[in-house]
Amino acid sequence: LLSRNASAVQKDNAPAINDFLNAQDHHGNTPLLVAIQHGYSVLARFFIRQGADVKACNNNKVTPLHASCNIGDLALVNLLLE
């Protein structure tokens, strides 16, 4: 998921960056959701600032907001609610 789109991101290609930010793996997870689930809050904030879909859900209907609540990151929860 990440590696196949990394070169497009490095070239500052806006459509490809959007594709990268909103790509889904076989579980329906986006890079934003994976970053949150693994506790990478700084990376998650970066993805949000770059335009990641904060309402996207995976195959289990988990959203970035659900994941942020699960890890207890109140600052990220507030950012997602803005």
Side-chain angles (χ1 to χ4, degrees):
L1 172 69
L2 299 178
S3 62
R4 74 173 173 219
N5 291 313
S7 62
V9 172
Q10 291 172 353
K11 295 178 185 177
D12 195 29
N13 183 338
I17 292 170
N18 190 53
D19 289 346
F20 166 78
L21 290 172
N22 297 306
Q24 293 181 304
D25 65 14
H26 62 282
H27 297 291
N29 294 318
T30 62
L32 174 59
L33 190 52
V34 171
I36 294 169
Q37 290 171 331
H38 291 278
Y40 296 113
S41 297
V42 172
L43 183 58
R45 285 175 178 78
F46 173 76
F47 288 155
I48 292 166
R49 285 192 311 269
Q50 296 305 310
D53 183 359
V54 299
K55 295 181 181 178
C57 63
N58 68 11
N59 297 346
N60 293 323
K61 306 297 182 205
V62 175
T63 66
L65 182 58
H66 291 127
S68 297
C69 290
N70 285 339
I71 66 167
D73 189 332
L74 187 56
L76 193 51
V77 167
N78 288 328
L79 179 61
L80 288 164
L81 290 173
E82 289 180 357

